[in-house]
Amino acid sequence: MLIETEPTPNPATLKFIPGRTVMDAGTRDFATPEEAEASPLAEALFTLGDVTGVFFGRDFISVTAGPGAEWRDLKPDVLGILLDHFSANMPLFRAPSAGFSVPAEDEDFGDDPADADIVAQIKELIETRVRPAVANDGGDIVYRGFQQGKVFLQMQGACSGCPSSSATLKNGIEQLLKHYVPEVTEVRAV
């Protein structure tokens, strides 16, 4: 089995592509070892000690190294864990009876029903234009709300903590949304 690796705009994060589907639907972000207990793979990656984030996309896994960690030292260990996991066809998540739940991907934060058409346009643009581009960089952006012209988005995977994420948010996503949805005045990360 060959697992390809790609750099991301976040120098602390590498994208690992196993050549098969990782998640059939949605994404999952693990920011702590406690959250990673839901997944044998994420938990194994966190046991390396230098891992501070794991993100599952449709066909990739992004791994974030902690401060001071060197990818030249960490990468072989990450590849070994990924190879073992996928070669053995192990499950990505523990059974639901293990006491965890996967959070809803598009949890609604109380949008005003009067803004339903605006919210639908925003979600469509995020789904068709923003998320595919961000997935190429090893991350994801999830819609979290729209209030008084402000769009609230959650950055995940390689996008979370990326030095260029604020530029992407302001110069890319905000401009795109303002262009197509004039009611949008600002985009903020949550």
Side-chain angles (χ1 to χ4, degrees):
M1 173 179 200
L2 173 69
I3 297 178
E4 295 180 48
T5 59
E6 291 180 2
T8 70
N10 183 346
T13 304
L14 277 183
K15 181 178 174 182
F16 296 84
I17 306 164
R20 62 174 65 177
T21 300
V22 175
M23 296 263 305
D24 289 324
T27 60
R28 181 68 198 267
D29 194 29
F30 302 95
T32 67
E34 292 76 27
E35 290 176 9
E37 291 173 2
S39 166
L41 177 56
E43 187 174 45
L45 291 166
F46 269 98
T47 63
L48 294 173
D50 288 329
V51 171
T52 59
V54 175
F55 178 80
F56 297 154
R58 181 172 139 48
D59 60 355
F60 67 90
I61 298 107
S62 290
V63 179
T64 302
E70 294 290 334
W71 271 113
R72 72 175 181 276
D73 300 327
L74 185 58
K75 186 177 172 182
D77 294 334
V78 171
L79 284 169
I81 288 171
L82 294 175
L83 281 168
D84 289 348
H85 179 86
F86 287 109
S87 295
N89 289 318
M90 294 172 61
L92 196 57
F93 295 103
R94 289 186 165 73
S97 62
F100 81 94
S101 63
V102 176
E105 179 183 342
D106 54 358
E107 185 178 338
D108 190 357
F109 285 9
D111 292 328
D112 185 340
D115 294 331
D117 289 341
I118 296 167
V119 169
Q121 288 177 324
I122 292 167
K123 286 182 174 181
E124 173 72 15
L125 286 166
I126 290 168
E127 206 55 44
T128 60
R129 301 239 180 151
V130 177
R131 289 183 82 195
V134 173
N136 285 337
D137 288 339
D140 196 12
I141 293 186
V142 180
Y143 172 85
R144 290 298 183 212
F146 176 75
Q147 296 174 352
Q148 301 174 333
K150 296 179 185 83
V151 177
F152 298 93
L153 302 174
Q154 180 181 8
M155 305 183 91
Q156 299 178 329
C159 295
S160 180
C162 176
S164 62
S165 64
S166 59
T168 298
L169 209 61
K170 291 294 178 187
N171 299 333
I173 299 166
E174 183 174 275
Q175 295 305 320
L176 173 83
L177 292 179
K178 283 179 171 181
H179 177 77
Y180 288 103
V181 186
E183 294 84 356
V184 172
T185 59
E186 184 180 357
V187 174
R188 291 186 182 173
V190 294

